[in-house]
Structure formats: structure tokens, C-alpha cells
């Protein structure tokens, strides 16, 4: 039984691990620590993308409107925008794509300013994400010091991915757009760590010190399933990535047939 295999693997693991899996072919659902609240790291960017596209649908924003990158916008951590000369012009759609496929923090903070933090949290509520909250921008160490962290759970991540998979995150058109971007993810080494290189996954990673997450939809020829693995307080980030990779491989081996 897959759930027992995963629990057996987790028995000797140091740290906190949550696993939620949903197989769309046979309906199997596995939930381990599904409501445990973790710092979200970059998985919160799924909700930011959803809110941006909701505002695009409502004609409050245009995905083709452009923004010129200035010095004041630059944020540290992951991303490419901070490495470029200022003055480049990007569309909102391009900034959103950079936020997801390379987890660009400058792009993320720009979008938080544009769509509004309160609106992102309202979107999380509308999507039924009971334990997901955006309380600070990326790389805001002062906010962290004062206890303002971003949070989520494995169950919430499954919920937003399932709505998107079913075409119910905003609507079918924007859900497909989100999935297409998530399939172009360039940050790997977690869910796909031990899987065949040609495995298609629409996913989003996240990492902080001794925290690694990866949540996504795996597309196999005979089966499609959501897998969300959240970890923290592991011995190292490398350990966290390997935990995710090992659990993902157990699931793949079970479902690939």
C-alpha cells in the first residue's frame, strides 16, 4: 500500500514533512500531516498568480501592459531581474512567468504591489485555502523578525492545484494558462529529482533555510496525479530535497505501472 510505504520512509526522517497526493485515475487520496502549517516560501506565488489573472479577467489589469524595471524595484534572492540593467521593459505576463518558472523575487514583489496583499489573501479565501496567508514580501527579513511570515499547508496547495487542473481557478482559460506556465518550471531537483527526465510536471517549488517544498501535477501516459510535499526543520536543504525526491519516486513507481 502506497501510504504505508511513504509512512515507512518517513519513520526515520528528521524534521517536519507533510504529504498530500490525489490520483485522478483511481481517486486515491493520501494525506499525511495535511493541515500542518509551514512557512510557504515561494509556493505562495501560486496564489499571487491567481489573483493577478483574476484582475486581468475583470479588466482591472492587462497582461500586455508594460513595466519599466527601476533600481527601487530590485529584490535579492532568486531571480534574473536583479542581474539585468535597469530600464528594461516587461509585460505583466512576462513578469508573472518569471515569478513562477525561475521564482524571481523582484517579479513577485512587483506583482504584490500591483495586485495588493489584501487581495491576494482574499483570493486565498475564495479558493478555499484555509491555512494560506501572505503577510510579507519576498526577502523581507525585517517582517520576519517581527513575526510576519507567509504560511500554507499541503492540503491548501493540493486544493489550488486541483482547482487549476479542473479549470476552476478563475475559469478554464486562465487555469490552462497557469498550467502551461507551471509546466515550464525551471527550478527542479525536488519532485523530479529521481524521475525520468521526460516526465511532465506542472509544479512550483519553495525554499528557505532548512525548508524545501515542491507541489505539482504529474502527467504520466496512463495516469495524472497531484503530489504536494512540504518539509522544514530538516538537517539541511539537501536532505529536504532528497526527502521530496524519494517520496515522489515512491508515488511514481506505484502509479507509472
Amino acid at each position: 500500500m502506497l501510504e504505508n510505504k511513504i509512512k515507512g520512509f518517513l519513520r526515520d526522517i528528521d524534521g517536519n514533512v507533510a504529504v498530500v497526493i490525489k490520483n485522478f485515475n483511481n481517486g486515491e487520496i493520501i494525506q499525511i500531516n495535511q493541515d500542518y502549517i509551514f512557512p510557504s516560501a515561494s509556493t505562495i506565488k501560486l496564489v499571487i498568480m491567481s489573483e493577478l489573472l483574476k484582475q486581468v479577467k475583470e479588466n482591472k489589469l492587462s497582461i500586455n501592459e508594460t513595466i519599466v524595471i527601476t533600481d527601487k524595484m530590485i529584490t535579492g534572492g532568486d531571480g534574473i531581474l536583479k542581474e539585468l540593467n535597469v530600464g528594461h521593459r516587461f509585460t505583466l505576463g512576462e513578469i508573472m512567468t518569471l515569478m513562477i518558472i525561475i521564482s524571481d523575487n523582484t517579479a513577485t514583489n512587483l506583482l504584490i504591489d500591483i495586485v495588493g496583499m489584501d487581495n491576494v489573501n482574499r483570493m486565498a479565501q475564495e479558493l478555499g485555502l484555509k491555512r494560506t496567508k501572505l503577510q510579507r514580501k519576498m526577502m523581507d527579513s525585517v517582517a520576519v523578525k517581527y513575526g510576519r511570515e507567509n504560511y500554507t499547508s499541503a492540503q491548501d496547495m493540493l486544493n489550488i492545484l486541483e482547482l487549476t487542473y479542473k479549470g476552476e481557478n478563475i475559469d478554464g482559460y486562465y487555469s490552462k494558462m497557469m498550467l502551461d506556465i507551471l509546466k515550464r518550471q525551471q527550478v527542479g531537483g525536488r519532485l523530479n529529482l529521481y524521475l525520468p527526465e521526460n516526465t511532465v510536471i506542472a509544479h512550483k517549488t519553495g525554499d528557505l533555510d532548512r525548508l524545501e517544498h515542491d507541489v505539482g501535477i504529474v502527467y504520466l501516459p496512463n495516469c495524472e496525479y497531484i503530489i504536494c510535499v512540504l518539509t522544514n526543520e530538516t538537517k539541511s536543504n539537501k536532505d529536504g530535497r532528497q526527502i521530496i525526491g524519494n517520496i515522489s519516486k515512491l508515488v511514481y513507481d506505484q502509479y507509472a505501472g
Side-chain angles (χ1 to χ4, degrees):
M1 186 178 170
L2 179 57
E3 184 168 351
N4 290 339
K5 287 180 184 176
I6 296 170
K7 286 180 175 177
F9 169 76
L10 291 175
R11 210 166 285 132
D12 299 322
I13 294 299
D14 289 326
N16 303 310
V17 183
V19 182
V20 179
I21 296 154
K22 183 163 186 176
N23 184 321
F24 289 110
N25 284 47
N26 63 17
E28 181 174 29
I29 296 172
I30 294 172
Q31 296 171 310
I32 301 169
N33 299 326
Q34 69 270 18
D35 292 327
Y36 187 94
I37 297 174
F38 291 82
S40 65
S42 290
T43 62
I44 197 79
K45 296 172 184 179
L46 292 174
V47 190
I48 298 169
M49 174 167 61
S50 302
E51 174 58 26
L52 173 67
L53 291 176
K54 179 189 174 194
Q55 292 191 25
V56 169
K57 184 184 179 182
E58 294 170 346
N59 292 317
K60 295 175 182 174
L61 296 169
S62 166
I63 206 156
N64 295 314
E65 66 184 84
T66 58
I67 292 172
V68 177
I69 304 300
T70 66
D71 277 325
K72 289 181 179 178
M73 296 175 179
I74 300 301
T75 305
D78 291 339
I80 193 69
L81 292 177
K82 66 186 175 70
E83 308 296 345
L84 305 179
N85 294 330
V86 296
H88 285 294
R89 186 180 294 273
F90 295 89
T91 67
L92 272 185
E94 289 171 332
I95 289 169
M96 174 182 67
T97 301
L98 290 173
M99 173 179 73
I100 298 298
I101 69 170
I102 59 170
S103 215
D104 194 295
N105 285 330
T106 297
T108 306
N109 286 352
L110 257 173
L111 294 181
I112 291 172
D113 284 339
I114 289 167
V115 304
M117 193 175 290
D118 289 345
N119 290 327
V120 173
N121 286 321
R122 197 171 298 117
M123 185 63 175
Q125 291 177 342
E126 288 176 11
L127 293 169
L129 314 182
K130 297 176 182 176
R131 292 167 178 81
T132 299
K133 195 163 182 65
L134 177 68
Q135 299 186 110
R136 66 168 178 84
K137 290 185 177 180
M138 303 301 112
M139 306 301 290
D140 188 346
S141 55
V142 175
V144 174
K145 191 168 79 172
Y146 285 101
R148 295 200 309 278
E149 185 53 275
N150 303 327
Y151 294 106
T152 195
S153 69
Q155 187 63 50
D156 279 3
M157 287 292 106
L158 181 136
N159 289 350
I160 189 171
L161 287 170
E162 182 172 7
L163 287 168
T164 309
Y165 176 85
K166 291 180 173 178
E168 296 169 3
N169 186 350
I170 306 170
D171 62 19
Y173 175 81
Y174 289 108
S175 289
K176 183 180 183 302
M177 183 185 294
M178 286 186 252
L179 291 174
D180 288 343
I181 292 170
L182 290 166
K183 286 177 183 175
R184 288 151 53 198
Q185 181 61 250
Q186 294 184 18
V187 183
R190 295 164 181 84
L191 284 178
N192 59 355
L193 185 59
Y194 303 121
L195 302 190
E197 285 186 11
N198 62 349
T199 307
V200 177
I201 311 179
H203 67 120
K204 184 72 196 79
T205 63
D207 66 274
L208 296 167
D209 185 33
R210 295 172 61 216
L211 175 151
E212 292 283 348
H213 302 331
D214 202 353
V215 302
I217 305 162
V218 180
Y219 296 83
L220 305 183
N222 65 321
C223 174
E224 296 177 353
Y225 61 91
I226 293 177
I227 173 169
C228 303
V229 187
L230 276 55
T231 77
N232 74 345
E233 297 180 18
T234 52
K235 288 180 181 176
S236 67
N237 282 72
K238 182 181 179 182
D239 279 352
R241 292 191 292 272
Q242 291 176 340
I243 289 165
I244 296 170
N246 278 300
I247 292 170
S248 180
K249 184 66 161 60
L250 285 172
V251 178
Y252 175 89
D253 288 346
Q254 181 79 21
Y255 291 158

